[in-house]
Amino acid sequence: MALPELPDNPCLFPDPVQALDQPNGLLAFGGDLSPTRLMAAYRLGIFPWFNPGEPILWWSPDPRGAAVPGDMIMSTSLKKWLKKTPYQYRCNTAFAKVLEGCAAPRDGQKGTWLSPQMRAAYLKLHELGYAHSVEVWLAGELVGGLYGITIGRVFCGESMFHRATNASKAAFAALHARLQGHARLIDCQLMNPHLASLGVKEMPRSHYLQILAEERDKLMPDALWQRGEWPCPLTS
């Protein structure tokens, strides 16, 4: 089956069930990264992911990595670490710096998928109030964090990073604690062993899309995402 190219209308996407099995979830190519198109995609369970030099590629994998807020797995050693380490937690105070941290090449990698084009697109979503950062600070330095997009009562996680021990896990724990009772799901897109170790589970795409349809027009309290400090996830 030929991969469809997106039309000019930024709100039109193929049905996610038409995504390829190999590579898992590849649905379409083309279009742009305008806020209208991005938000239309996330509302349908679709996200962009492509390397520099490639056309914009759109995905909806099956199964999907997802977590219920409050169901994070934290080992005893991680809990002890978070209790003794003077990390500070903040929301939306350094979104651009979190993007830069997530864009830095990982160990063994030469480049990054989070290109300047992608960073500019998510920064615009942040300015519009749709994208948010969870930040971990130590002695005045940003040492870890994550960012994602809110679609109703679903948080669509995009990427995380760390520059200090357990800092990305700390950010994920803070997100769980903050969203418990307010969001139904944390979307983690594609599973990997690291996410599995934190309690993220595979969910059939059909189930994810059903939950998304039920929750995308509901709202989380605006106060959840106010710029400022968050408590330690073990005391919130």
Side-chain angles (χ1 to χ4, degrees):
M1 182 179 69
L3 194 67
E5 182 175 3
L6 292 185
D8 292 336
N9 187 327
C11 296
L12 294 181
F13 284 86
D15 189 321
V17 301
Q18 298 177 11
L20 301 179
D21 294 330
Q22 292 295 331
N24 179 18
L26 181 56
L27 179 65
F29 73 96
D32 55 34
L33 296 175
S34 67
T36 299
R37 193 182 297 271
L38 281 171
M39 294 305 293
Y42 282 101
R43 284 179 57 85
L44 295 172
I46 301 164
F47 59 87
W49 182 32
F50 60 100
N51 294 314
E54 295 178 343
I56 299 174
L57 301 176
W58 301 89
W59 303 76
S60 186
D62 187 16
R64 193 93 172 201
V68 175
D71 282 356
M72 179 178 172
I73 294 175
M74 281 200 286
S75 64
T76 301
S77 60
L78 178 58
K79 290 180 181 179
K80 289 181 178 179
W81 179 273
L82 294 181
K83 285 181 178 180
K84 72 178 183 179
T85 304
Y87 283 153
Q88 293 180 308
Y89 301 85
R90 300 177 189 170
C91 173
N92 288 334
T93 69
F95 187 87
K97 290 184 178 180
V98 171
L99 286 179
E100 291 175 5
C102 291
R106 306 294 199 251
D107 292 341
Q109 295 179 345
K110 295 182 179 179
T112 176
W113 65 274
L114 196 51
S115 64
Q117 178 189 15
M118 290 281 278
R119 296 202 296 273
Y122 286 110
L123 185 58
K124 183 63 177 178
L125 288 185
H126 172 66
E127 292 169 353
L128 294 171
Y130 299 120
H132 307 284
S133 61
V134 178
E135 307 148 12
V136 179
W137 297 77
L138 180 63
E141 294 188 12
L142 181 68
V143 296
L146 60 82
Y147 78 97
I149 295 89
T150 50
I151 301 295
R153 296 202 328 137
V154 175
F155 182 83
C156 301
E158 276 295 317
S159 187
M160 61 175 67
F161 80 101
H162 71 276
R163 296 177 183 141
T165 303
N166 290 328
S168 61
K169 294 178 182 179
F172 197 52
L175 179 69
H176 267 268
R178 190 70 167 182
L179 296 188
Q180 187 172 1
H182 299 290
R184 185 169 174 186
L185 207 63
I186 299 171
D187 170 30
C188 299
Q189 299 180 348
L190 292 166
M191 280 292 292
N192 60 49
H194 175 65
L195 291 175
S197 71
L198 300 177
V200 178
K201 298 179 181 178
E202 289 188 336
M203 174 181 291
R205 179 174 56 210
S206 59
H207 189 194
Y208 172 76
L209 294 178
Q210 177 184 349
I211 292 175
L212 182 63
E214 293 170 356
E215 301 293 338
R216 64 191 175 197
D217 292 320
K218 300 177 183 179
L219 296 176
M220 285 185 267
D222 290 340
L224 286 179
W225 302 110
Q226 286 183 352
R227 175 186 173 97
E229 292 193 10
W230 282 2
C232 172
L234 297 181
T235 59
S236 58

